[in-house]
């Protein structure tokens, strides 16, 4: 169990997880202002600036927060929010406005069971449906193929269906929409959505517990397997082997398989040829970045589903300036909303411009790949990749590994879990620990700090 003094530590760990899962500007807008203030009676108390802030967190990030807390502590803690009321006497300043019920987890499982989900894998997000997926030239074909597969799982020539496209373009949304649609229409009863890193971790855990037969039986029992981000299978020989057998079995029994990847299947390095040739015989559809009209349509749809009345010139301004992907578009909208509500100004073109000027800096920061970070750190320490991700604990290798993990957290959008996978399948808590160690040593060891800064410079130059 955790002691009541652990609250800062617990919340810090939650923040680390959350940071890896949402865009940087969303994180700084909605999560940095939250303050953990205590653990009392089995609840972690979080203080938020105002009621609007709480409403927004509750409607948009409830599961993100609750999920991270579950990962960090197991199921033991609930969350209570308090809000600072500045116009009340100081004794009454903090008011508790929400308690997540104790049986929160249980109710989710019940719901999942009713909708035909089984417990392994990850819960399907019910908000990802075809109805709110805006169609445009960039995604038309991928959307049509997804609808066909959802309506007729295992019975179209599109098995497996492979969806590929850059980050934030809607792959996960489409994948889950297929699952939601097939479940709600009864075209499939057992649908499993799982990200490839979760699949890998689950498989590793099964090996450790001698439960690989259970693992395999579970995945072979589904009607529909939705596997997200298969690029994470690269260089994971054993996982690929296992997946290959599951894949064949499902395929032979006409069960539907849908996969997503961030690059065309043929460009997936470190994937077994026989797996690649399976994908080759399938239908591959791509999603491109949305064009201007589609960006405008997406913004309109998001605004209306959030009950917002955005002036057209604001929508057009955002669509013209935020081009990279849909996730950035959403992030921009949220940031603008935060500004307007916290500063009590209307959403107008001036505000959009101001927010853009500020987020411009965030966008320019760019992202470097974790492979590049490993290469740069390896070169700086004269260590090869195998040692960096391997088991060696010599001082120099251990230090290089910690620094590489730290830089991966700082400069990529990958989750701690995924970073761990890139370092020889280490646990996310190892990554958390490494980042902490680096931060601490940077403050009390000048030489070390200089070394990290110089490597960081190289990473920045690689962007
Ligand atoms: P990916 O998996 O490709 O990285 P996601 O599916 O997570 O991207 O999409 C990022 C965000 O953008 C999600 O909130 C998703 O709902 C939204 N999104 C992406 N494409 C569309 C679209 N065509 N219409 C509406 N929302 C979209
Ligand atoms: Mg995705």
């Amino acid at each position: 169990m955790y002691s009541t003094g652990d609250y800062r530590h617990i919340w810090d760990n939650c923040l680390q997880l959350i940071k890896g899962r949402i865009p940087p500007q969303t994180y700084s807008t909605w999560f940095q202002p939250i303050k953990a203030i205590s653990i009392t009676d089995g609840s972690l108390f979080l203080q938020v600036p105002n009621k609007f802030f709480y409403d927004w967190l509750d409607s948009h990030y409830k599961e993100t927060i609750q999920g991270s807390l579950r990962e960090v502590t197991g199921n033991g803690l609930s969350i209570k929010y308090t809000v600072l009321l500045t116009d009340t006497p100081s004794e009454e300043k903090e008011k508790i406005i929400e308690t997540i019920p104790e049986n929160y987890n249980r109710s989710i499982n019940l719901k999942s069971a009713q909708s035909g989900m089984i417990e392994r894998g990850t819960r399907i997000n019910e908000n990802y449906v075809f109805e709110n997926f805006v169609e445009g030239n960039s995604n038309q074909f991928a959307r049509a193929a997804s609808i066909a597969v959802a309506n007729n799982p295992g019975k179209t020539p599109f098995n497996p269906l492979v969806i590929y496209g850059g980050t934030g373009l809607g792959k996960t949304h489409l994948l889950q929409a297929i699952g939601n649609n097939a479940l709600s229409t009864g075209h499939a009863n057992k649908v499993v959505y799982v990200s490839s890193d979760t699949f890998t971790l689950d498989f590793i855990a099964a090996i450790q517990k001698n439960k690989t037969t259970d693992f395999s039986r579970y995945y072979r029992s589904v009607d529909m397997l939705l596997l997200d981000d298969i690029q994470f299978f690269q260089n994971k020989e054993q996982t690929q082997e296992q997946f290959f057998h599951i894949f064949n079995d499902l395929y032979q029994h006409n069960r539907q398989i849908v996969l997503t990847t961030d690059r065309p299947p043929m460009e997936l390095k470190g994937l077994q040829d026989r797996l690649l040739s399976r994908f080759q015989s399938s239908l591959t559809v791509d999603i491109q970045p949305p064009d201007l009209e589609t960006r405008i349509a997406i913004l309109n749809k998001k605004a209306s589903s959030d009950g917002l009345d955005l002036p057209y010139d604001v929508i057009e301004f955002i669509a013209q300036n935020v081009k990279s992907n849909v996730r950035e578009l959403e992030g921009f909208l949220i940031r603008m909303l935060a500004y307007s509500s916290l500063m009590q100004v209307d959403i107008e073109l001036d505000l959009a411009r101001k927010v853009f000027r500020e987020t411009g800096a965030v966008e320019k920061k760019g992202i470097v790949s974790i492979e590049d970070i490993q290469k740069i750190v390896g070169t700086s320490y004269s260590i090869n990749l195998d040692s960096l991700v391997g088991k060696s604990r010599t001082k120099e290798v251990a230090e290089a590994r910690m620094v590489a993990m730290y830089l991966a957290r700082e400069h990529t959008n990958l989750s701690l879990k995924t970073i761990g996978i890139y370092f020889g399948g280490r646990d996310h808590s190892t990554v958390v620990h490494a980042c902490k160690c680096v931060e601490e040593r940077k403050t009390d060891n000048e030489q070390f700090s200089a070394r990290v800064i110089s490597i960081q410079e190289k990473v920045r130059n690689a962007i």
Side-chain angles (χ1 to χ4, degrees):
M1 276 306 276
Y2 15 83
S3 80
T4 48
D6 283 345
Y7 62 92
R8 281 206 193 94
H9 180 67
I10 289 176
W11 181 238
D12 278 348
N13 283 338
C14 290
L15 285 179
Q16 293 304 339
L17 290 173
I18 293 168
K19 197 175 185 180
R21 292 172 184 167
I22 57 173
Q25 73 267 36
T26 311
Y27 177 81
S28 58
T29 305
W30 296 108
F31 288 89
Q32 276 174 354
I34 302 176
K35 207 168 132 201
I37 49 175
S38 77
I39 289 180
T40 311
D41 298 336
S43 296
L44 173 65
F45 278 74
L46 299 177
Q47 188 186 74
V48 294
N50 55 33
K51 174 82 165 58
F52 168 85
F53 206 97
Y54 157 73
D55 286 339
W56 188 267
L57 281 175
D58 188 53
S59 58
H60 290 78
Y61 297 109
K62 192 169 177 169
E63 182 51 21
T64 309
I65 297 174
Q66 192 68 30
S68 69
L69 187 67
R70 268 200 302 276
E71 276 180 59
V72 172
T73 66
N75 278 338
L77 279 181
S78 62
I79 290 185
K80 284 186 181 160
Y81 289 95
T82 72
V83 78
L84 259 183
L85 301 175
T86 42
D87 52 356
T88 45
S90 59
E91 315 82 72
E92 286 174 34
K93 262 192 176 171
E94 283 174 8
K95 184 174 171 239
I96 298 170
I97 50 178
E98 160 76 333
T99 311
I100 293 180
E102 304 284 18
N103 61 358
Y104 184 66
N105 293 315
R106 241 176 295 140
S107 65
I108 282 181
N109 285 343
L110 201 67
K111 203 168 172 193
S112 309
Q114 281 167 351
S115 58
M117 287 285 298
I118 22 188
E119 272 179 31
R120 217 169 189 133
T122 321
R123 195 169 66 100
I124 288 197
N125 182 339
E126 286 165 12
N127 296 325
Y128 286 158
V129 290
F130 289 125
E131 288 74 23
N132 58 15
F133 187 86
V134 175
E135 184 180 355
N137 289 335
S138 53
N139 60 36
Q140 218 163 26
F141 191 37
R143 180 176 169 275
S146 300
I147 292 175
V149 158
N151 285 332
N152 231 338
K155 297 191 191 71
T156 65
F158 317 145
N159 200 15
L161 173 65
V162 182
I163 303 171
Y164 85 84
T167 181
L169 295 182
K171 299 184 295 297
T172 300
H173 188 138
L174 267 188
L175 189 64
Q176 300 213 6
I178 295 174
N180 278 319
N181 188 284
L183 280 172
S184 66
T185 54
H187 287 120
N189 288 320
K190 282 187 177 178
V191 174
V192 165
Y193 164 84
V194 65
S195 70
S196 300
D197 54 355
T198 303
F199 183 93
T200 306
L201 287 173
D202 200 13
F203 177 56
I204 295 170
I207 295 177
Q208 282 162 356
K209 292 183 196 142
N210 264 333
K211 292 251 162 86
T212 47
T213 320
D214 286 359
F215 176 89
S216 159
R217 192 182 304 130
Y218 168 80
Y219 281 104
R220 286 174 197 214
S221 72
V222 306
D223 295 330
M224 187 181 256
L225 177 60
L226 308 171
L227 193 58
D228 211 356
D229 291 319
I230 55 164
Q231 67 273 11
F232 292 129
F233 277 174
Q234 291 179 107
N235 301 319
K236 308 217 172 59
E237 292 280 332
Q238 260 190 306
T239 310
Q240 288 181 32
E241 186 69 29
Q242 186 71 22
F243 176 64
F244 182 75
H245 293 300
I246 291 169
F247 181 103
N248 280 342
D249 202 66
L250 291 176
Y251 183 75
Q252 274 158 16
H253 290 92
N254 290 329
R255 309 284 166 73
Q256 182 67 46
I257 304 155
V258 189
L259 311 166
T260 73
T261 147
D262 68 353
R263 61 207 81 174
M266 288 308 119
E267 286 174 22
L268 288 165
K269 294 192 201 95
L271 225 61
Q272 294 171 355
D273 286 346
R274 56 183 188 167
L275 212 48
L276 281 181
S277 71
R278 286 278 172 219
F279 300 159
Q280 213 162 15
S281 62
S282 68
L283 177 70
T284 301
V285 290
D286 70 329
I287 308 185
Q288 296 293 329
D291 54 24
L292 180 67
E293 286 74 19
T294 314
R295 295 200 295 277
I296 291 177
I298 289 172
L299 285 167
N300 272 324
K301 187 115 186 170
K302 299 272 173 216
S304 74
S305 75
D306 283 344
L308 286 172
D309 191 14
L310 289 184
Y312 184 77
D313 57 352
V314 171
I315 291 201
E316 203 179 69
F317 175 84
I318 303 172
Q320 257 159 1
N321 289 287
V322 183
K323 300 176 191 155
S324 49
N325 67 51
V326 184
R327 195 173 290 131
E328 295 292 340
L329 275 182
E330 288 183 349
F332 191 90
L333 257 190
I334 292 172
R335 197 172 177 82
M336 224 175 47
L337 268 176
Y339 258 84
S340 94
S341 63
L342 296 176
M343 295 160 68
Q344 308 200 333
V345 292
D346 287 340
I347 297 183
E348 283 172 353
L349 197 53
D350 273 353
L351 179 72
R353 287 210 178 97
K354 182 172 157 49
V355 174
F356 183 72
R357 274 198 302 277
E358 293 189 11
T359 49
V362 176
E363 288 202 339
K364 261 184 247 126
K365 213 172 86 187
I367 287 181
V368 62
S369 78
I370 190 161
E371 284 95 341
D372 285 341
I373 292 177
Q374 290 177 328
K375 229 178 275 162
I376 292 166
V377 174
T379 312
S380 305
Y381 279 84
S382 308
I383 291 170
N384 64 25
L385 181 65
D386 284 349
S387 315
L388 192 67
V389 305
K391 295 211 158 47
S392 166
R393 291 175 179 227
T394 62
K395 196 165 159 275
E396 189 79 343
V397 175
E399 178 179 315
R401 193 180 293 137
M402 284 193 321
V403 170
M405 287 179 176
Y406 167 80
L407 294 174
R409 191 201 63 184
E410 291 291 299
H411 295 277
T412 71
N413 275 338
L414 300 176
S415 68
L416 295 165
K417 204 152 124 185
T418 306
I419 295 174
I421 291 175
Y422 273 94
F423 284 86
R426 286 177 161 80
D427 191 51
H428 76 90
S429 58
T430 310
V431 183
V432 174
H433 179 71
C435 296
K436 274 228 166 82
C437 285
V438 171
E439 265 154 12
E440 276 166 23
R441 272 185 75 189
K442 267 176 67 184
T443 56
D444 56 31
N445 182 332
E446 260 184 43
Q447 215 181 341
F448 176 76
S449 168
R451 188 167 197 180
V452 174
I453 289 171
S454 98
I455 300 174
Q456 199 153 18
E457 245 351 276
K458 291 185 189 133
V459 169
R460 287 216 179 88
N461 289 336
I463 293 171

